[in-house]
Amino acid sequence: MTGRPKRGAFSPGGVAAPLRYALFRRIWLASLLSNLGLMINGVGAAWAMTQMTSSADKVALVQTALMLPIMLVAMPAGAIADMYDRRRVALASLSVGLAGAVALSVLAHLGLVTPEILLGFCFVIGMGMALFGPAWQASVSEQVPPDALPAAVALNGISYNIARSFGPAVGGIIVAAAGAVAAFAANAVLYLPLLMVLFLWRRVSEPPRLPPERLNRAIVSGVRYIANSPSIRIVLMRTLVTGIAGSSVLALMPLVVRDVLKSGAETYGILLGAFGVGAVIGALNVGSARERLGSEGSIRACTVIMGVALAAIALSHSAVLTAAALVVAGAVWMLAIALFNIGVQLSAPRWVAGRSLAAFQASIAGGVAIGSWLWGHVADLAGVELSMLISAGTMLVSTLLGLFLRMPSVGTQIADADLLADPEVKLAVTPRSGPVVIEIEYRISAEDARSFYGVMQQVQLSRQRNGAYDWSIARDIGDPELWTERYHCPTWLDYLRQRNRSTQDDRALHQRAMAFHRGPDEIRVRRMLERPFGSVRWKEESPDRATATEVLPVSGVSGGST
């Protein structure tokens, strides 16, 4: 008997499909334990703060201390992840977090922890995770094939939220039974499996054809790419606003438990566990939500439901009702964050993947950090319930962003194009020679002028994303069919990088522009050294080694990436 094959979780399109790959499975399981430790640590830190101070502001600052480092060091962390071996970067980052966890455990055991010291070591632990995040997320594409990447992203979210489901409850029990010091020590121990798995990973990476950028230049390159990528900009702005509006549920929950529900650490852990259970449910439904509602429809639904859930938490005086609202809030929160994450991962090529994911992390962490401070401050002034209600209203209003910042429709991961051969030159240049000026001449018929100009506006973003600056397009007054595209690169090495950062989509766009060219001659490309110091003859009898301007015909294959 034959029939349609069943589509299970482990089928090629199922959410658990990436677990069929041994490397991903080992790292995923180890990261689950690490996330469990972080959740236990968070419960211990938040509850310890409530015991040391009655200030809502300081309690909320625990979340700020854990999340603020991600916003502060995200872009350098992303640049480091793109420049160096991601496995080694991850190991070093986890070591920073482990050192902070061990030190906090020792100080807590000795009774030396104050609110300021607690916030300081939460910041150190957050710093380690901030450095770890981009390297870990960018390496997911090395652990699974492209068709399994969306499911792998969702599974990493599930890992975090399985830990959120059980970690707070376990943390609450540990804190109630043995105190915060035991929670801090448990976090330190649970770093070890992930460190071991990454240490044993024999990552195979192709050596780059060009030397890596300096850190400051790599950061600038990442910022420039994001600034010239409308799809990534939209995702980051929506992520930031969602983080600010929804962070009250994380920042004020200790106060909701203590002041509204009049309960203790066990209830706090159980309620955070309810939020985590909802988050797992949301992560399991990322694929179906994208398929049925699309990215924009899913995000709008999540923000509306999240707003209603936050209002229910604010008005509830029953632990059962609050737990139910937290399950709903956790589901839509995780669903929204996973959709934002997938949108960034599928919109960035490999060379800038770490920096793009770092910018995403900065957006969500910055939103949570800013929102935690904001809602804690409002709670000090107006009370916990009103602060939660204002947060709910802000979340509902954020739905309107979809009217003018619509989520991009992204199907598959952007594929890198094949590397291009370096252009032949007759002038002796070094990697640091520059600035380099590129001029490309097109002949465009009058009836195609408007369409050509529209395509060139997209070409401008493509060039600038990949490293060009001072881009311009000009039309000859005396010969209206002659158009000249012109842009700069800082050095010859930067120009070679710019040529080979093109994705397949970029190449297709460049081919569209070239298709408008008319006339018997090839498109003309001039590559010029703007300040050719050392390339001119200073004495009449000295031989001139080459001209500073070379005219090269462009073939149809490589001409789009001049």
Side-chain angles (χ1 to χ4, degrees), residues 320-364:
V320 175
L321 179 57
T322 300
L326 282 168
V327 170
V328 175
V332 293
W333 174 266
M334 181 60 217
L335 184 57
I337 298 305
L339 288 169
F340 290 140
N341 190 321
I342 291 170
V344 170
Q345 292 227 34
L346 298 183
S347 298
R350 184 179 296 275
W351 72 268
V352 76
R355 281 161 281 190
S356 299
L357 287 166
F360 165 74
Q361 281 196 326
S363 295
I364 186 59

Side-chain angles (χ1 to χ4, degrees), residues 2 4 31 179 282 285 459:
T2 60
R4 294 177 60 185
S31 69
N285 288 279
V459 170

Side-chain angles (χ1 to χ4, degrees), residues 37-38 41 97-103 105 182-193 195:
L38 289 172
N41 182 82
L98 176 61
V102 170
S105 301
F184 302 148
N187 177 41
V189 171
L190 290 173
Y191 269 100
L192 300 179
L195 280 165

Side-chain angles (χ1 to χ4, degrees), residues 277-439:
V277 168
V280 172
I281 295 171
L284 288 171
N285 288 279
V286 169
S288 59
R290 288 180 73 212
E291 184 178 343
R292 294 178 183 178
L293 300 176
S295 295
E296 179 59 38
S298 299
I299 293 297
R300 290 189 188 185
C302 287
T303 52
V304 170
I305 297 171
M306 183 76 173
V308 173
L310 290 176
I313 294 168
L315 299 173
S316 170
H317 291 273
S318 164
V320 175
L321 179 57
T322 300
L326 282 168
V327 170
V328 175
V332 293
W333 174 266
M334 181 60 217
L335 184 57
I337 298 305
L339 288 169
F340 290 140
N341 190 321
I342 291 170
V344 170
Q345 292 227 34
L346 298 183
S347 298
R350 184 179 296 275
W351 72 268
V352 76
R355 281 161 281 190
S356 299
L357 287 166
F360 165 74
Q361 281 196 326
S363 295
I364 186 59
V368 171
I370 294 169
S372 295
W373 172 83
L374 174 64
W375 305 126
H377 190 64
V378 173
D380 266 341
L381 296 176
V384 176
E385 295 96 329
L386 184 57
S387 181
M388 292 288 293
L389 284 173
I390 296 173
S391 172
T394 305
M395 181 64 77
L396 290 171
V397 171
S398 72
T399 306
L400 299 176
L401 288 175
L403 298 177
F404 51 93
L405 291 176
R406 190 175 183 84
M407 286 287 292
S409 298
V410 182
T412 56
Q413 186 181 23
I414 288 180
D416 296 327
D418 294 335
L419 295 178
L420 297 172
D422 293 343
E424 294 183 5
V425 296
K426 296 181 180 178
L427 180 67
V429 293
T430 69
R432 298 182 63 183
S433 298
V436 176
V437 183
I438 312 301
E439 289 186 351

Side-chain angles (χ1 to χ4, degrees), residues 77-313:
I80 291 170
D82 286 330
M83 293 165 60
Y84 301 107
D85 187 309
R86 288 167 181 163
R87 167 184 163 274
R88 294 183 179 181
V89 172
L91 285 169
S93 305
L94 288 172
S95 298
V96 172
L98 176 61
V102 170
L104 180 59
S105 301
V106 172
L107 290 175
H109 178 69
L110 297 175
L112 300 177
V113 174
T114 65
E116 292 74 21
I117 289 176
L118 178 61
L119 291 175
F121 279 102
C122 285
F123 186 88
V124 172
I125 293 170
M127 183 70 71
M129 298 314 296
L131 294 169
F132 173 71
W136 174 50
Q137 293 193 55
S139 68
V140 172
S141 60
E142 302 174 25
Q143 302 164 25
V144 298
D147 61 342
L149 182 60
V153 172
L155 272 175
N156 282 337
I158 290 172
S159 166
Y160 181 80
N161 286 288
I162 289 175
R164 184 183 288 281
S165 302
F166 299 101
V170 173
I173 293 171
I174 291 175
V175 170
V181 62
F184 302 148
N187 177 41
V189 171
L190 290 173
Y191 269 100
L192 300 179
L194 187 54
L195 280 165
M196 183 62 67
V197 170
L198 291 174
F199 180 77
L200 296 175
W201 177 19
R202 295 296 176 256
R203 178 175 181 261
V204 178
S205 59
E206 296 181 5
R209 192 167 63 90
L210 298 174
E213 296 175 282
R214 296 179 182 176
L215 180 59
N216 60 336
R217 295 291 293 274
I219 294 172
V220 171
S221 295
V223 172
R224 180 177 55 226
Y225 184 91
I226 293 165
N228 289 284
S229 178
S231 60
I232 294 180
R233 285 205 315 268
I234 289 172
V235 173
L236 296 184
M237 285 187 279
R238 298 286 293 273
T239 302
L240 178 65
V241 172
T242 301
I244 292 173
S247 58
S248 62
V249 71
L250 301 173
L252 300 182
M253 192 50 55
L255 301 175
V256 170
V257 172
R258 187 188 70 183
D259 300 339
V260 179
L261 300 179
K262 309 296 184 184
S263 193
E266 298 90 341
T267 301
Y268 174 56
I270 292 170
L271 289 180
L272 285 185
F275 185 88
V277 168
V280 172
I281 295 171
L284 288 171
N285 288 279
V286 169
S288 59
R290 288 180 73 212
E291 184 178 343
R292 294 178 183 178
L293 300 176
S295 295
E296 179 59 38
S298 299
I299 293 297
R300 290 189 188 185
C302 287
T303 52
V304 170
I305 297 171
M306 183 76 173
V308 173
L310 290 176
I313 294 168

